[in-house]
Amino acid sequence: MALPVAFFAVFFAWPVAAIVARGLDVDGGWRFGRLWDVLTEPGIRHVLWFTTWQALASTGLTLLLALPAAYVLGRFAFPGRQLLRAVVTVPFVLPTVVAGTAFLALLGRGGLLDELWGVRLDTTVWAILLAHVFFNYAVVVRTVGGLWAQLDPRQEEAARMLGASPLQAWRRVTLPALAPAVAAAALMVFLFTFTSFGVVQILGGPRFSTLEVEIYRQTSEIFDLSTAAVLTLIQFAAVGAILAVHAWTVRRRETALRLVDPAVTARRPRGAGQWALLAGVLGTVAVLILLPLAVLVQRSLDAPGFAYYEALTRADGGTFLVPPIEAIGNSLEYALAATAIAVVVGALAAAALTRRDAGRFVRGFDALLMLPLGVSAVTVGFGFLIALDEPPLDLRASWILVPLAQALVGVPFVVRTMLPVLRAVDVRLREAAAVLGASPWRVWREVDLPMVRRALLVAAGFAFAVSLGEFGATVFIARPDNPTLPVAVARLLGRPGDLNYGQAMALSTILMVVCAVALLVLERLRTDRTGEF
Amino acid sequence: MSITKQAAIVAVGLGLVALSACGSSDGDRASGGDTRTVTLVSHNSWAVSKDVLAAFEKQSGYQVRVLEDGDAGQAVNKAILTKDNPQGDVFFGVDNTLLSRALDNDLFQPYEPKGSDRVLPEYRADGDEHRVTPVDTGDICVNYDKAYFSEHRLAPPDSLDDLIKPAYKDLLVTENPATSSPGLGFLLGTAAQYGDDGWTGYWKKLKANGVKVVDGWEQAYNEEFSGSAGGRKAGADRPLVVSYASSPPAEVIYADPRPETAPTGVAEGTCFRQVEYAGLLSNARNPEGGKALLDFMLTRTFQDDMPLNMFVYPVTGDARIPEEFAQYGPQAKDPRTMDPAKIAANRDDWVKSWTSLVLK
């Protein structure tokens, strides 16, 4: 317990507190009056309103489009199911700069929709909503689908035997079992879209601004730290509330459901209705997820031969001191380090959270660990600058800063994956082993480890994929000689010229493939109780 | 599951931890008491040829470490935040739109590098205090897509006044001055030309003439502008974009095969001049190394090397302009400029008024 708490305090709480304090503390006096000033600014009120309603709309739309897919992936057996699960998860780990570019190519001028029907959605709110669905589709599919696959169909059958109609059986048996999972997924999507940054910046145009974008602007462009501090506090409060509700639904979900092996429940689709549903889901995935990804691939190949890919292997001395291709190696190194940190911290936290004598405080810590997901990277980054500037913790120029920041985002995923599995380990097994004279270490080794091994691997894989695509923290890489993939893409897009644009597309494609492969490997390692974000 | 397998997994886990704990590449150590290393803090457009930098290291005996701290505005803000305990010795990349913010916050200490006398007078700033040194300059100008204008038999615009004529309706895309430095430069250019009160009237007309605004340069240039490589692929339909005078040369240099002429041109009467400065940070740990680095930035070697790396113009009178620049992206003859103090005094208000005028 001590390590996760220390990690969280030093690398998250302290930097954030430092930067917020810097913003509110002017000439030795705390200016809480600023709170009121900022809140009553019409511009800020507009931002708050937009942030909230677009998150609600995005969440609704995501549920609408992803729930059928959750059912199909949870309950149907068909060839390519694993591939499909991996494919829908790719967007979730893609850097927003890449996805934003793909969506512009699709919805913007001269994009596919424009060519087919003359429809242009960029700089409309629709572009933002669709991109949010693209990113968060996997959250719903994995969270709800994972549980759906494991619900014992015999319970519904028993209800039918007792005379319930199919609808009644579903409403009385399946729905209550699924509801907490749906709620948890919805809250997660709401959290991600409420704090959306890259999507809104790239696709929304200047007329739309979320709280997160506004914090970034106030900190980095206008340099009004006190306004930024107030906005950070507001976002904190909102995110805290969302997480509190989320934690509550998660606990409700961990009530004793009878779960079975997903392999038992999956059947081939039967009847026209089920086949139509499957076709519909595949169609949605094709349009919503494969199409934007395909646009990137197509543009990366839009030169004779593999010219863009070849260009990646040359250093031009300008933007890059090293060939851009080296960014792949850098990214993998950072991601490995971040994964190691996240797995150690996350697993320890999860272990502490499952102890039966865990008090209220510890359970609260569970939700706290999720906070980094909802705090803007720019706040944490600027906080790092002023908080971690004294030896032995002067990490400002150190490469370790990046994996640390990425691990902050990875830890919640590790905890989410480990927790249900650890909680499902029957306490009596441990007690029996202890009674028979096993040391605590041996109990853990003989009882827990075999059960959580796969969960650990899945958690590690997730943390790995998340850090590969993570862009916010990598902005602090102050080392031009080792850019990561997303940073390299952003740099290439930031320069005029055909070769630069093409290389950006080629690197994005490579990143996508790396993520997809990592996720496919994960699919092979599915645990018995996954799917809790 | 066998014990060996378990052991293997534990070992891999421990190995990962070890890997993350060590493996720090050389040069990562903060240059606490190390006077052989000089650290340059910059924004992410910093670029120099390897051999040029190596030559400086050899001749001066200092190792150069470069830290890139985000875009120009972000890098300046970070430097101000950490000025009591700076991350480096020299800061490069504060431009005339941000200069006052840096100076008012005492970011720099005075130092006049060797060779300052060769800097052309129009680029000098900060009078006799010498807290900053001009390093490079560039013009923010409207670029036009040559193909579009020859196809439509229309003369490309050449001045800010042209942009509000009906002939150019719905053709221009620009950036949000709140989030983009070319966008801000363009706004300041209009304020310099039409005066403190006149620019709002101009923007009303520009809005009526269908100007499109996006957040960042990347999107404006790569997605909306029909003359750029990305724009051509995206079928973009805005043949006018606010970019840099050095963008057309880049379109030539980064095309394979190289075209005979640049696909884009510069509307020379629309330019606003940007100058980038460097300075010795107030609490630099290695001031001597910092001074040597600043001297180096004004040498001919560096000034000659800079243009094709950063797509900017040199500031010293004796530097050589690359042929591609002279041919495809000549410097504007009479760009707009504005006093940094005036920019600092008005910038936030102007951006606010611009936002409610153009975006609402």
Side-chain angles (χ1 to χ4, degrees):
Chain A
M1 193 67 212
L3 180 75
V5 171
F7 174 80
F8 188 79
V10 172
F11 296 117
F12 179 71
W14 180 32
V16 171
I19 191 79
V20 169
R22 177 75 67 103
L24 291 178
D25 171 22
V26 177
D27 309 327
W30 289 92
R31 295 199 309 173
F32 287 114
R34 283 291 299 158
L35 258 165
W36 186 245
D37 299 346
V38 173
L39 277 174
T40 48
E41 256 184 61
I44 301 290
R45 278 220 302 271
H46 179 80
V47 167
L48 280 171
W49 166 238
F50 175 73
T51 306
T52 312
W53 85 252
Q54 65 78 26
L56 279 171
S58 301
T59 308
L61 201 60
T62 309
L63 286 176
L64 191 74
L65 289 169
L67 279 175
Y71 177 73
V72 164
L73 278 166
R75 278 295 162 100
F76 290 169
F78 52 93
R81 186 164 91 148
Q82 279 191 342
L83 183 67
L84 189 64
R85 272 183 64 100
V87 163
V88 300
T89 316
V90 169
F92 187 73
V93 294
L94 269 193
T96 42
V97 67
V98 174
T101 310
F103 262 80
L104 271 181
L106 199 62
L107 307 174
R109 178 173 312 104
L112 203 77
L113 286 184
D114 193 14
E115 281 179 11
L116 291 177
W117 302 293
V119 178
R120 286 193 43 211
L121 295 173
D122 61 322
T123 67
T124 65
V125 81
W126 282 105
I128 297 177
L129 296 184
L130 282 175
H132 280 164
V133 176
F134 169 83
F135 272 115
N136 295 302
Y137 199 80
V139 178
V140 177
V141 169
R142 293 185 85 96
T143 313
V144 181
L147 186 68
W148 218 327
Q150 300 172 68
L151 285 185
D152 193 341
R154 283 172 304 188
Q155 291 180 321
E156 221 180 291
E157 282 158 20
R160 295 286 310 280
M161 296 283 280
L162 296 169
S165 68
L167 187 70
Q168 264 183 322
W170 191 82
R171 217 171 48 108
R172 291 287 176 82
V173 178
T174 310
L175 190 63
L178 279 181
V182 174
L187 282 162
M188 252 12 257
V189 175
F190 186 80
L191 174 72
F192 291 139
T193 52
F194 187 83
T195 58
S196 177
F197 175 65
V199 168
V200 178
Q201 235 195 351
I202 296 172
L203 293 174
R207 284 178 309 132
F208 299 113
S209 175
T210 52
L211 203 47
E212 184 98 357
V213 173
E214 197 62 30
I215 291 172
Y216 175 84
R217 280 189 40 202
Q218 297 288 351
T219 308
S220 78
E221 315 275 348
I222 304 172
F223 207 45
D224 179 350
L225 291 180
S226 65
T227 302
V230 172
L231 294 178
T232 303
L233 289 176
I234 295 170
Q235 180 154 321
F236 236 83
V239 168
I242 297 168
L243 289 176
V245 180
H246 180 262
W248 178 74
T249 61
V250 167
R251 270 204 293 281
R252 287 233 354 236
R253 193 156 35 133
E254 281 161 5
T255 50
L257 288 172
R258 283 207 41 207
L259 296 183
V260 293
D261 183 359
V264 180
T265 63
R267 304 212 174 103
R268 291 191 67 78
R270 279 177 310 212
Q274 295 198 340
W275 280 107
L277 182 65
L278 176 60
V281 165
L282 289 176
T284 313
V285 169
V287 170
L288 196 78
I289 289 171
L290 288 177
L291 207 59
L293 300 179
V295 167
L296 286 178
V297 179
Q298 180 257 321
R299 289 201 176 181
S300 77
L301 294 170
D302 207 4
F306 287 92
Y308 294 147
Y309 289 88
E310 277 162 27
L312 288 177
T313 59
R314 295 193 296 267
D316 62 356
T319 335
F320 297 103
L321 298 167
V322 293
I325 202 91
E326 284 191 21
I328 298 172
N330 294 328
S331 269
L332 291 174
E333 277 173 32
Y334 282 132
L336 271 178
T339 306
I341 300 169
V343 166
V344 170
V345 174
L348 283 171
L353 288 170
T354 43
R355 293 196 21 201
R356 263 206 312 183
D357 52 6
R360 279 197 92 83
F361 160 74
V362 175
R363 265 189 260 137
F365 187 67
D366 174 12
L368 268 187
L369 277 175
M370 307 276 282
L371 264 184
L373 291 179
V375 175
S376 75
V378 74
T379 307
V380 180
F382 273 60
F384 269 0
L385 274 183
I386 57 173
L388 305 179
D389 65 343
E390 298 289 340
L393 272 176
D394 185 3
L395 298 175
R396 294 176 307 174
S398 167
W399 71 280
I400 193 80
L401 202 56
V402 177
L404 280 172
Q406 291 178 343
L408 272 179
V409 184
V411 166
F413 291 99
V414 176
V415 175
R416 294 268 135 246
T417 319
M418 302 285 300
L419 214 49
V421 181
L422 280 172
R423 285 197 175 140
V425 174
D426 197 333
V427 185
R428 284 169 304 186
L429 275 178
R430 290 192 197 119
E431 284 165 356
V435 167
L436 294 170
S439 63
W441 162 244
R442 187 154 175 206
V443 170
W444 185 82
R445 209 184 59 195
E446 303 279 356
V447 177
D448 291 75
L449 188 63
M451 297 195 177
V452 303
R453 192 180 78 244
R454 296 173 75 186
L456 254 177
L457 284 170
V458 170
F462 235 100
F464 186 77
V466 167
S467 26
L468 261 190
E470 205 280 336
F471 181 62
T474 44
V475 171
F476 316 130
I477 305 181
R479 317 251 350 182
D481 48 355
N482 47 13
T484 61
L485 275 170
V487 168
V489 169
R491 275 194 205 167
L492 285 164
L493 283 175
R495 292 179 65 174
D498 175 44
L499 262 183
N500 289 319
Y501 185 81
Q503 287 183 75
M505 294 298 127
L507 262 190
S508 301
T509 306
I510 292 174
L511 178 66
M512 209 162 69
V513 171
V514 172
C515 284
V517 169
L519 290 163
L520 258 178
V521 172
L522 287 192
E523 283 306 314
R524 301 253 164 227
L525 295 166
R526 291 275 305 283
T527 53
D528 305 333
R529 285 189 73 167
T530 45
E532 188 193 329
F533 269 109
Chain B
M1 159 153 177
S2 70
I3 293 289
T4 45
K5 221 171 170 184
Q6 270 185 40
I9 286 169
V10 172
V12 168
L14 290 175
L16 280 176
V17 178
L19 188 115
S20 64
C22 61
S24 143
S25 57
D26 49 338
D28 267 342
R29 286 170 296 283
S31 54
D34 180 8
T35 51
R36 304 291 353 130
T37 303
V38 59
T39 305
L40 173 77
V41 185
S42 163
H43 54 63
N44 44 22
S45 311
W46 161 264
V48 58
S49 298
K50 257 186 178 159
D51 52 338
V52 170
L53 198 60
F56 165 73
E57 288 182 330
K58 202 169 159 188
Q59 160 251 312
S60 68
Y62 292 109
Q63 281 282 316
V64 179
R65 199 169 61 123
V66 180
L67 300 179
E68 293 184 0
D69 244 345
D71 62 35
Q74 217 178 26
V76 172
N77 294 348
K78 285 182 179 176
I80 292 171
L81 264 183
T82 57
K83 68 177 187 201
D84 297 336
N85 183 6
Q87 289 185 272
D89 308 305
V90 172
F91 183 89
F92 161 80
V94 55
D95 70 4
N96 45 337
T97 63
L98 293 162
L99 185 60
S100 288
R101 184 187 291 174
L103 294 178
D104 295 346
N105 280 290
D106 301 323
L107 189 56
F108 300 114
Q109 52 181 305
Y111 174 64
E112 191 179 5
K114 296 187 185 85
S116 294
D117 52 316
R118 290 183 296 112
V119 172
L120 296 170
E122 62 261 40
Y123 303 127
R124 293 179 194 175
D126 200 32
D128 297 333
E129 295 209 45
H130 302 298
R131 286 171 296 178
V132 286
T133 304
V135 176
D136 67 75
T137 175
D139 293 332
I140 291 162
C141 313
V142 171
N143 283 205
Y144 59 86
D145 173 7
K146 284 180 180 169
Y148 177 91
F149 288 99
S150 65
E151 219 169 283
H152 290 73
R153 302 216 168 79
L154 182 64
D158 192 46
S159 66
L160 291 175
D161 281 337
D162 282 352
L163 296 174
I164 52 178
K165 289 179 181 160
Y168 304 108
K169 192 169 171 54
D170 296 342
L171 300 188
L172 175 68
V173 59
T174 184
E175 300 87 0
N176 182 355
T179 50
S180 148
S181 62
L184 179 66
F186 186 61
L187 168 62
L188 294 174
T190 59
Q193 171 140 347
Y194 299 103
D196 295 10
D197 306 317
W199 68 267
T200 48
Y202 175 79
W203 276 93
K204 274 185 194 133
K205 289 180 195 143
L206 204 55
K207 189 180 177 182
N209 212 25
V211 65
K212 177 166 186 172
V213 179
V214 295
D215 256 336
W217 175 89
E218 287 84 353
Q219 195 186 339
Y221 195 85
N222 288 325
E223 304 282 346
E224 302 288 345
F225 175 50
S226 58
S228 71
R232 277 195 297 278
K233 290 205 169 95
D237 64 1
R238 296 251 160 186
L240 298 173
V241 67
V242 171
S243 186
Y244 297 91
S246 58
S247 304
E251 285 291 342
V252 175
I253 292 164
Y254 288 102
D256 202 11
R258 281 196 182 192
E260 289 292 305
T261 55
T264 57
V266 170
E268 286 197 35
T270 58
C271 299
F272 178 80
R273 175 144 297 170
Q274 219 180 354
V275 181
E276 282 190 299
Y277 303 90
L280 188 60
L281 286 164
S282 285
N283 294 304
R285 288 203 186 88
N286 182 2
E288 290 316 308
K291 287 172 184 173
L293 187 58
L294 284 167
D295 291 345
F296 166 68
M297 285 183 181
L298 289 183
T299 57
R300 256 206 77 170
T301 324
F302 182 84
Q303 289 281 321
D304 282 352
D305 174 68
M306 206 172 47
L308 287 177
N309 279 318
M310 292 201 260
F311 284 84
V312 290
Y313 275 83
V315 292
T316 55
D318 56 350
R320 208 164 33 87
I321 311 273
E323 191 177 314
E324 291 95 337
F325 275 43
Q327 206 174 333
Y328 307 114
Q331 266 183 298
K333 289 177 190 57
D334 183 24
R336 314 279 157 278
T337 55
M338 194 181 281
D339 176 41
K342 188 175 174 181
I343 296 175
N346 294 297
R347 171 198 181 120
D348 291 349
D349 291 343
W350 283 347
V351 170
K352 266 198 180 130
S353 337
W354 180 94
T355 306
S356 52
L357 183 83
V358 180
L359 297 183
K360 295 291 182 291

